[in-house]
Amino acid sequence: LVDDLSSGGSQATKFWYIDYNHAVNVIRLRIYLLKRKLEQSELRARSSSMYLCPGYKTKACNGRYTETEAQQVIDMETGLFLCQECVNAHAANPDPPPKSTYTLQLLDNTKDLRLAMDNMRRVNVQLCAKMMGNSQLRPGIYDLLQKVRVKGKGPLTSNLPSENFS
């Protein structure tokens, strides 16, 4: 708020401004956080191998195992990954069901991986420059941020009204 009434002026004036330096830093931070989140979801999709017991779908047991946990519940006779809950439940049973009813099955995560890779590709397409042949249709956000940074030789102005007030 600039009050020039006290110095003999005619009105009190409000100035609104955009702090360019802060805006550029916020945009860069948001892009970084978005890319990091997408990379982490892709990494999670690539590295997560889950094994499910057939009884898990019917709520007969809680047989959901990570890859490391599944390697610890291997059956030494057959070499199969068996659900420990079902093994313990059928241990005292004189006529147990076949082991195939509680053999762990690998959960297919290609849908999650495809989604994570597609999201990363879409973000990269939207943030990069759009080209048609040799001509640029629109600049990308990286180009625009670089243009703002290089425009002045010194640090980016904060665009305060006091800096622009003559």
Side-chain angles (χ1 to χ4, degrees):
L1 179 68
V2 175
D3 184 10
D4 61 349
L5 289 175
S6 61
S7 62
S10 61
Q11 64 184 357
T13 307
K14 285 187 181 181
F15 288 96
W16 299 96
Y17 70 97
I18 296 174
D19 186 348
Y20 294 132
N21 198 22
H22 183 70
V24 167
N25 288 336
V26 167
I27 291 168
R28 290 176 61 212
L29 174 68
R30 301 280 285 220
I31 290 172
Y32 168 77
L33 292 175
L34 174 69
K35 285 193 161 247
R36 189 175 75 177
K37 183 178 178 182
L38 290 171
E39 288 168 358
Q40 286 174 347
S41 70
E42 183 178 349
L43 181 64
R44 228 180 0 262
R46 286 187 188 279
S47 65
S48 69
S49 295
M50 294 298 294
Y51 288 87
L52 291 180
C53 176
Y56 183 79
K57 295 174 187 166
T58 61
K59 305 291 186 212
C61 69
N62 293 321
R64 184 177 169 103
Y65 298 90
T66 64
E67 192 171 288
T68 308
E69 294 169 340
Q71 291 174 359
Q72 295 172 357
V73 293
I74 194 166
D75 181 32
M76 294 304 168
E77 296 172 10
T78 60
L80 298 173
F81 296 134
L82 298 180
C83 174
Q84 277 308 110
E85 280 188 47
C86 296
V87 167
N88 292 339
H90 300 303
N93 190 346
D95 189 27
K99 288 187 178 182
S100 63
T101 59
Y102 52 93
T103 300
L104 299 179
Q105 299 167 349
L106 181 62
L107 184 66
D108 186 23
N109 67 342
T110 55
K111 181 181 173 186
D112 295 336
L113 180 59
R114 190 175 300 124
L115 179 66
M117 290 173 60
D118 188 49
N119 285 341
M120 181 68 92
R121 183 195 58 78
R122 286 177 37 216
V123 165
N124 285 334
V125 165
Q126 291 173 4
L127 295 181
C128 291
K130 177 75 172 170
M131 302 291 283
M132 172 102 32
N134 289 337
S135 62
Q136 184 177 23
L137 297 178
R138 65 169 170 78
I141 189 71
Y142 303 115
D143 302 331
L144 295 173
L145 289 175
Q146 188 63 29
K147 189 182 284 186
V148 170
R149 283 267 179 221
V150 175
K151 198 172 195 177
K153 299 293 184 216
L156 189 61
T157 177
S158 62
N159 195 30
L160 291 172
S162 61
E163 293 174 357
N164 298 328
F165 193 67
S166 51

